[in-house]
Amino acid sequence: MRQLLISIIMVCCAVTLRASDLIPYQDAASGKWGYRDASGKVVVRPVYSAVSRFADGYGVVYSDSGLAGLVESSGRVVIQPRYTYIDLCNEGIVAVYRCPRGGEMWVDGAWTFIDLAYPDILMGGLFCFDMVGPFVDSVAWVNRAETDSKRAVRYMPVMSRNGKKEIGREYILGVSESFGMSDLYAKDDDGRPVVYDGAWVLIDREMRILTDAERPYQMVGEFKDGLAWVKRDGLYGFVNTEGEEVIPVIYRSVQGAPNAVPAGLLLNPEDGAVRWVMNGKGEMAWMDGNGDTVIDFVRTDGRIGVSSFVNESMWDY
């Protein structure tokens, strides 16, 4: 009964949160966009050239000059339209991009963050990053060097009633559990992200650099169960949200990294997922979130037999 009550409360909370999100609508006469609530009441007047879908209680709005701002579900303008692009609302922080007039988008501009508790203040005080990821567990990846990687403009198609024809597009604000660092990048004709080496470091909400600023990473992955894969000098390892290399960057490949081989053995103990690593001989080992070895290096295609190496509670069926 207690579990049922908790489930009902969670469902009710989710419905309430969804109901607070506003719905984009276009005024037929002016062609401008605004927001309505679920009852159809106009909350944000249609004065914008475009608006995003709501996420986490916020929506991005675009002025006639193409600059982006932010509104909340009450209709209040939180950030005036003054930025080239706004994205990645997570943990109460948005990423903002500014490109100079006449500059090339994603080439001549730079990124920084805004804490929505202090929307008139740029975190760090200036635009200084070539590319940024979302905050996860109060930390975020930022690229400090110029790269040829292009940022993806995030949108979803608006389909016809029968779902067979795209009739428009909606900008997307916000991140989800399925969001990964690869989603930051523009994709090629085959739908694959085009990623070039950068100079990535980990920062916290005070903009302090947590990883080695003198030895940044070429590429980085998203944090899952407190760890993210990283690449430096062509080799891979894992760091935690404190910026510590708990699994050193010495491996040919690791779980989740680009071009990583499929692994049939995925371990999931109670204290965090175990990752596999592959050495230069093609042997694989499995290590926990502290960098301790769970299964030592064995020659395998990612599948090993059930044995005393692994406690039953660690299997991810």
Side-chain angles (χ1 to χ4, degrees):
M1 175 63 77
R2 182 174 180 271
Q3 185 63 42
L4 176 60
L5 180 59
I6 292 174
S7 298
I8 292 173
I9 292 173
M10 291 178 66
V11 169
C12 291
C13 289
V15 170
T16 301
L17 287 172
R18 287 195 298 269
S20 68
D21 284 349
L22 301 181
I23 303 167
Y25 87 99
Q26 186 177 31
D27 180 70
S30 66
K32 296 296 183 65
W33 287 85
Y35 289 100
R36 290 174 172 157
D37 63 17
S39 70
K41 177 185 175 182
V42 175
V43 179
V44 177
R45 293 189 303 110
V47 296
Y48 298 105
S49 62
V51 297
S52 81
R53 299 177 67 208
F54 250 65
D56 300 322
Y58 297 93
V60 175
V61 296
Y62 292 84
S63 67
D64 288 341
S65 59
L67 296 180
L70 203 69
V71 299
E72 64 176 9
S73 55
S74 69
R76 181 176 69 93
V77 178
V78 180
I79 298 175
Q80 293 292 336
R82 61 171 66 102
Y83 302 105
T84 309
Y85 192 69
I86 297 179
D87 200 8
L88 301 179
C89 180
N90 203 41
E91 298 188 357
I93 295 176
V94 294
V96 294
Y97 177 80
R98 180 175 286 166
C99 185
R101 186 181 298 275
E104 183 180 349
M105 187 75 162
W106 312 133
V107 175
D108 299 318
W111 290 86
T112 192
F113 296 97
I114 292 178
D115 186 334
L116 294 178
Y118 309 97
D120 297 323
I121 302 174
L122 298 176
M123 294 172 62
L126 72 166
F127 289 80
C128 52
F129 304 120
D130 183 77
M131 191 172 284
V132 299
F135 271 82
V136 178
D137 294 332
S138 295
V139 296
W141 289 114
V142 296
N143 179 35
R144 303 173 73 199
E146 290 187 13
T147 175
D148 291 329
S149 298
K150 300 296 189 297
R151 185 69 162 75
V153 176
R154 302 176 61 223
Y155 69 89
M156 71 173 297
V158 178
M159 307 302 292
S160 60
R161 288 180 181 270
N162 59 14
K164 294 183 178 180
K165 180 181 179 182
E166 181 179 328
I167 58 176
R169 294 179 175 183
E170 287 182 347
Y171 294 96
I172 298 176
L173 169 70
V175 297
S176 67
E177 292 181 358
S178 62
F179 184 90
M181 290 294 293
S182 62
D183 296 314
L184 295 177
Y185 303 98
K187 296 177 173 55
D188 61 20
D189 293 338
D190 296 322
R192 295 171 298 194
V194 181
V195 185
Y196 295 91
D197 287 348
W200 292 87
V201 294
L202 192 67
I203 63 169
D204 62 15
R205 295 176 73 104
E206 282 71 46
M207 304 294 280
R208 294 175 298 204
I209 297 176
L210 304 180
T211 50
D212 189 343
E214 301 301 319
R215 301 184 67 216
Y217 298 107
Q218 292 170 278
M219 294 183 187
V220 294
E222 65 272 17
F223 279 95
K224 294 182 178 178
D225 296 308
L227 294 184
W229 64 262
V230 293
K231 175 185 177 185
R232 182 196 292 126
D233 298 329
L235 298 175
Y236 295 89
F238 288 93
V239 303
N240 62 20
T241 54
E242 303 297 320
E244 302 166 329
E245 285 188 13
V246 292
I247 299 178
V249 184
I250 58 175
Y251 298 104
R252 187 177 87 186
S253 183
V254 297
Q255 185 174 328
N259 302 316
V261 299
L265 177 60
L266 301 177
L267 303 179
N268 190 18
E270 293 180 358
D271 60 346
V274 171
R275 272 73 164 178
W276 62 259
V277 300
M278 179 181 289
N279 63 19
K281 300 178 182 179
E283 299 170 331
M284 299 178 73
W286 282 258
M287 299 181 181
D288 64 19
N290 297 317
D292 297 326
T293 300
V294 176
I295 302 176
D296 210 347
F297 285 99
V298 292
R299 172 68 65 174
T300 174
D301 62 354
R303 295 169 173 80
I304 67 172
V306 178
S307 70
S308 59
F309 282 123
V310 186
N311 185 292
E312 184 178 353
S313 66
M314 300 179 71
W315 285 86
D316 186 8
Y317 294 100

